[in-house]
Amino acid sequence: MSLRLEHLNPEQLAAVTLPDEHALVLAGAGSGKTRVLTTRIAWLVKNGLVSPQAILAVTFTNKAAREMLTRVTAMLPVNPRGMWIGTFHGLANRLLRAHHREASLPQAFQILDSQDQLGAVKRLLKALNVDEDRFPPREVQQFINSQKEEGVRPGEAALADERARRLIELYTAYDEQCQREGVVDFAELLLRSYELFARNEILREHYASRFRHVLVDEFQDTNRLQYRWLKLLAARGACYFAVGDDDQSIYTFRGARPGNMADFEREFKVRKVIRLEQNYRSHGNILDAANALISNNRNRLGKNLWTASGAGEPLRVFEGQSDGDEARWIVEETRSLAREGTPLSRVAVLYRSNAQSRVIEHALFSQSVPYRVYGGLRFFERAEVKHALAYLRLVASPGDDNSFLRVVNFPARGIGARTIEQLQDAARARGVSLFEAAEGKAGAFRNLIEEMRAGTEGLPLKEIVEAVVAKSGLLEHYKAEREGADRVENLGELVNAAAAFSEEEREAESGEVVEPLTAFLTHAALEAGEHQAGEGQEALQLMTVHSAKGLEFDAVFLTGLEEGLFPHEQSVTERDGLEEERRLAYVAITRARERLYLSHAQTRMLHGQTRYNVPSRFLEELPEGLLKWLTPRFAGQRAREARFSAAQAWHAPRKKEPSFARSRDVGGFRVGQNVLHPKFGSGVIVDAEGQGTDARVQVNFGSQGVKWLAVAVAKLQAA
């Protein structure tokens, strides 16, 4: 590859050949930002404007850094060792290795990955005799990392309450332990290198003088500390070239701050904002839909994607009667695409929540369609699901030693390796199972299982699973985790799986009628043990929308477009949460090259109960002319209206069913509206009836269930 500028469009060329000044490049999805960034580096060097050693280029993943380095070295005959191209953490590590004394670190300091760090936290808590039930190790780990990512040391942390004071003490002790042992965690790498620059003027001046051009990829994903780290190098007038897309900022839950882009434009007095709007990936209808959707966000820098490749096909929209119906339709359409010649590997099924994959996986498994879960595990292989299944196996068969060992100390009960070793010796000597030999702390665990067995005897399968998930402590454990929401949803989906597990499936799985729990566990083992495609095999790609960022496919299925699911119900109560959900939908839409499918379901199982859904507002925000409805638009809504009208016409008995034919607007509220309740939280109005003091609305509050509320006394507020 040589440095060829004739293949660049006018905006790309303007960005690549920009004079020595600060620039903000708004690079839309599929607009060739990596080409622009790498060609800019090569152009600067080839024209003698800067030496390779005077360039600092930063990105977020090792894969992106390797690609950047490969492209640059292909265009220039330079030694890549002299170039500072890498991730924030990789470059911070390089700085600390070079200046370990100034950073108060041993030369051979070791880096803790996430699991190593968690182990270090557990050792600390044990040494300090801290009750892990009150201060779970993962919560302590997350507190420490969140403080570091904000650039906050223990002495600067806010003392909100007694619990915060204790967490700060643990943070202090953890820092001392790491310093003693000569180790640093990932968050420490960046914070320690920032502090090194901040307090050592000589070093800061040295690097500020060295790096004449600083280029940053995915700028919308930078957090507060990363932006501060970059600004420290601006002292000697380096030129900053920030590339990003505020419309694709979807990681605020990890600390990303899209506002850094606007701050950069203001603080660096950027004269030139270059918009890369020509898209080389998607057909025009897909881009027009993405543009229309994202235009509803207020806080954006603004751009409009376009393509020279033509309008292409309309977006196909499907409404299923249930989530199972939606999954079966996906299987049918996938097979149709394969018959038309589209390889499965170029087709992706996207979902907002990991828990949605279970129903889709089951449909694919049942029809022998090979699939691969990208960037994650199949539903029944996920740790939280396997933990819950282990508890269920012990309820069904206490002699299962593998299941016993998996959960005897999860969640933590103070049962260490030495205790387990002694228990195994005792069980072998007596020729019995670990469950039978359990005593002491392990005996308390045995009592817990016995209580679960007695308490669930004779209950329906769904209630057994629900009770075990709760009484095992798994639910509370994951609720306490900073990023445990997905795991909680997966446990809820396991309850859904049990509720949906029919008599027919029990017979099909076992060949005979067996006890429901045993049959369900057999079903889970069969689905966990088979069918995900092997390496190199053509397979349908399943993934969350977050995992899909940076990828592209010929055909994309965007599923579960329902209020409360996408946008997620939590987004309504979070500041700018709805705008981030819309950015997430924008990312999903722009993954598709040629064909985009949008789907939603009238009903979906949630926590073992049927949930009646309102189509996502994002569907309403798409221009009607771009859509091809494979089912009558919002057929479920109209079917409910028709059923109610027919019942009235035939003087049928009144039934309390979701009726969208009753008053669509009562007491100042309307069906489909997001609302807040002081007790039940955020919800969506799915039905309404009556007028005046008799007005009432039916609200789907997600995990809190579906409730009828009198408008006059319910204290509902519009969200």
Side-chain angles (χ1 to χ4, degrees), residues 151-205:
V152 176
R153 286 296 187 191
E156 304 159 334
L159 285 167
D161 51 33
E162 180 59 27
R163 183 171 185 80
R165 185 191 65 77
R166 185 60 176 140
L167 284 168
I168 292 166
E169 289 176 354
L170 294 173
Y171 180 12
T172 303
Y174 169 81
D175 265 4
E176 292 169 353
Q177 174 179 290
C178 288
Q179 189 65 33
R180 235 180 7 255
E181 296 175 1
V183 297
V184 298
D185 54 54
F186 272 17
E188 182 72 18
L189 281 171
L190 195 66
L191 180 54
R192 186 73 67 109
S193 64
Y194 169 79
E195 291 171 341
L196 177 64
F197 277 156
R199 69 169 180 263
N200 192 317
E201 186 178 354
I202 294 174
L203 271 181
R204 183 174 68 251
E205 287 288 316

Side-chain angles (χ1 to χ4, degrees), residues 136-398:
R138 199 172 293 277
E139 181 188 342
V140 176
Q141 177 189 32
Q142 290 163 349
F143 174 81
I144 291 169
N145 288 341
S146 65
Q147 295 296 309
K148 289 185 178 186
E149 286 163 6
E150 288 291 316
V152 176
R153 286 296 187 191
E156 304 159 334
L159 285 167
D161 51 33
E162 180 59 27
R163 183 171 185 80
R165 185 191 65 77
R166 185 60 176 140
L167 284 168
I168 292 166
E169 289 176 354
L170 294 173
Y171 180 12
T172 303
Y174 169 81
D175 265 4
E176 292 169 353
Q177 174 179 290
C178 288
Q179 189 65 33
R180 235 180 7 255
E181 296 175 1
V183 297
V184 298
D185 54 54
F186 272 17
E188 182 72 18
L189 281 171
L190 195 66
L191 180 54
R192 186 73 67 109
S193 64
Y194 169 79
E195 291 171 341
L196 177 64
F197 277 156
R199 69 169 180 263
N200 192 317
E201 186 178 354
I202 294 174
L203 271 181
R204 183 174 68 251
E205 287 288 316
H206 167 74
Y207 283 101
S209 298
R210 172 177 180 158
F211 296 127
R212 307 308 305 151
H213 284 268
V214 178
L215 302 96
V216 189
D217 192 15
E218 304 285 9
F219 200 85
Q220 78 279 354
D221 291 336
T222 54
N223 63 27
R224 196 179 303 275
L225 181 60
Q226 287 161 342
Y227 183 43
R228 288 167 61 189
W229 186 87
L230 288 165
K231 288 198 293 184
L232 283 177
L233 296 173
R236 288 300 186 98
C239 295
Y240 282 68
F241 190 83
V243 181
D245 183 2
D246 58 325
D247 289 335
Q248 294 190 76
S249 179
I250 59 174
Y251 295 119
T252 56
F253 66 96
R254 293 182 186 169
R257 189 172 176 271
N260 284 348
M261 297 184 76
D263 289 350
F264 170 73
E265 183 182 2
R266 184 184 68 257
E267 293 173 6
F268 283 76
K269 297 179 174 58
V270 175
R271 292 192 311 110
K272 194 75 172 176
V273 176
I274 299 174
R275 288 171 168 80
L276 303 183
E277 297 174 305
Q278 184 173 358
N279 178 283
Y280 294 92
R281 174 188 302 155
S282 307
H283 286 312
N285 285 339
I286 294 170
L287 298 180
D288 289 347
N291 289 331
L293 178 75
I294 203 65
S295 68
N296 289 281
N297 275 7
R298 299 181 307 276
N299 303 317
R300 57 190 296 259
L301 297 172
K303 65 184 178 311
N304 206 55
L305 297 178
W306 64 276
T307 181
S309 64
E313 301 177 10
L315 284 60
R316 291 163 168 82
V317 188
F318 175 82
E319 180 182 54
Q321 293 183 0
S322 67
D323 48 359
D325 189 28
E326 178 189 45
R328 286 186 289 273
W329 167 76
I330 290 169
V331 173
E332 291 169 6
E333 287 293 330
T334 298
R335 285 177 154 176
S336 177
L337 286 167
R339 285 193 297 270
E340 292 172 10
T342 303
L344 286 178
S345 59
R346 296 184 189 171
V347 181
V349 179
L350 309 184
Y351 33 81
R352 173 63 180 85
S353 165
N354 258 313
Q356 288 172 253
S357 81
R358 203 268 312 169
V359 175
I360 300 169
E361 287 185 60
H362 178 68
L364 293 168
F365 176 85
S366 300
Q367 296 299 316
S368 300
V369 177
Y371 70 91
R372 184 176 297 110
V373 178
Y374 180 90
L377 297 169
R378 288 173 294 169
F379 180 79
F380 285 109
E381 287 183 340
R382 293 166 191 163
E384 61 277 13
V385 174
K386 292 182 78 170
H387 287 328
L389 291 172
Y391 276 104
L392 289 165
R393 288 192 183 98
L394 287 174
V395 168
S397 177

Side-chain angles (χ1 to χ4, degrees), residues 439-717:
E439 56 185 25
K441 287 184 178 179
F445 174 71
R446 172 181 172 172
N447 293 339
L448 173 65
I449 300 299
E450 287 177 338
E451 287 172 15
M452 283 196 240
R453 296 190 77 202
T456 57
E457 188 174 357
L459 291 180
L461 175 61
K462 173 241 175 183
E463 293 181 26
I464 293 174
V465 176
E466 203 166 32
V468 169
V469 165
K471 292 180 180 178
S472 64
L474 290 174
L475 203 56
E476 286 305 313
H477 172 80
Y478 289 121
K479 280 181 177 178
E481 284 192 351
R482 179 184 171 196
E483 295 180 6
D486 267 0
R487 297 185 186 274
V488 171
E489 287 186 356
N490 283 333
L491 291 175
E493 186 58 30
L494 184 64
V495 176
N496 292 347
F501 189 63
S502 67
E503 189 77 23
E504 290 75 16
E505 285 177 304
R506 286 169 53 193
E507 294 185 27
E509 298 283 2
S510 62
E512 59 184 32
V513 178
V514 297
E515 191 272 329
L517 180 55
T518 300
F520 178 67
L521 292 170
T522 301
H523 162 80
L526 289 171
E527 291 220 356
E530 309 227 359
H531 209 55
Q532 177 154 274
E535 284 299 316
Q537 182 183 353
E538 275 295 320
L540 181 68
Q541 308 295 303
L542 270 60
M543 66 194 75
T544 64
V545 181
H546 281 101
S547 296
K549 185 165 183 291
L551 304 177
E552 56 186 62
F553 303 91
D554 288 352
V556 168
F557 292 83
L558 178 53
T559 65
L561 283 167
E562 299 137 28
E563 287 293 309
L565 183 57
F566 201 0
H568 197 278
E569 58 193 359
Q570 291 179 351
S571 69
V572 178
T573 57
E574 294 173 355
R575 182 182 177 186
D576 298 328
L578 184 58
E579 295 218 341
E580 174 139 353
E581 289 289 296
R582 193 174 280 110
R583 292 195 294 267
L584 196 56
Y586 174 86
V587 166
I589 290 171
T590 54
R591 299 310 94 197
R593 295 190 191 103
E594 300 168 4
R595 190 173 288 187
L596 178 62
Y597 297 87
L598 309 172
S599 65
H600 63 102
Q602 296 171 26
T603 63
R604 190 174 296 274
M605 293 288 284
L606 184 70
H607 308 298
Q609 296 181 341
T610 300
R611 168 173 169 167
Y612 295 90
N613 302 313
V614 173
S616 171
R617 71 188 70 194
F618 297 155
L619 282 171
E620 293 280 6
E621 292 172 0
L622 301 179
E624 185 65 31
L626 301 176
L627 308 179
K628 177 182 179 180
W629 290 84
L630 304 181
T631 48
R633 183 168 191 177
F634 302 150
Q637 176 175 316
R638 287 206 290 270
R640 286 187 284 269
E641 292 174 350
R643 283 202 303 272
F644 182 76
S645 298
Q648 282 188 320
W650 288 94
H651 305 287
R654 293 179 179 269
K655 293 189 292 185
K656 295 298 182 185
E657 62 176 340
S659 163
F660 287 82
R662 296 172 182 153
S663 178
R664 307 291 297 158
D665 193 332
V666 300
F669 294 97
R670 57 179 170 75
V671 171
Q673 183 176 2
N674 288 277
V675 292
L676 293 174
H677 187 273
K679 179 179 178 182
F680 304 123
S682 62
V684 179
I685 297 177
V686 297
D687 199 1
E689 65 179 15
Q691 290 295 335
T693 57
D694 295 327
R696 65 178 194 149
V697 291
Q698 188 183 42
V699 185
N700 188 333
F701 287 107
S703 61
Q704 299 294 322
V706 179
K707 305 179 188 299
W708 277 102
L709 301 172
V711 173
V713 296
K715 297 182 180 178
L716 278 178
Q717 294 181 357

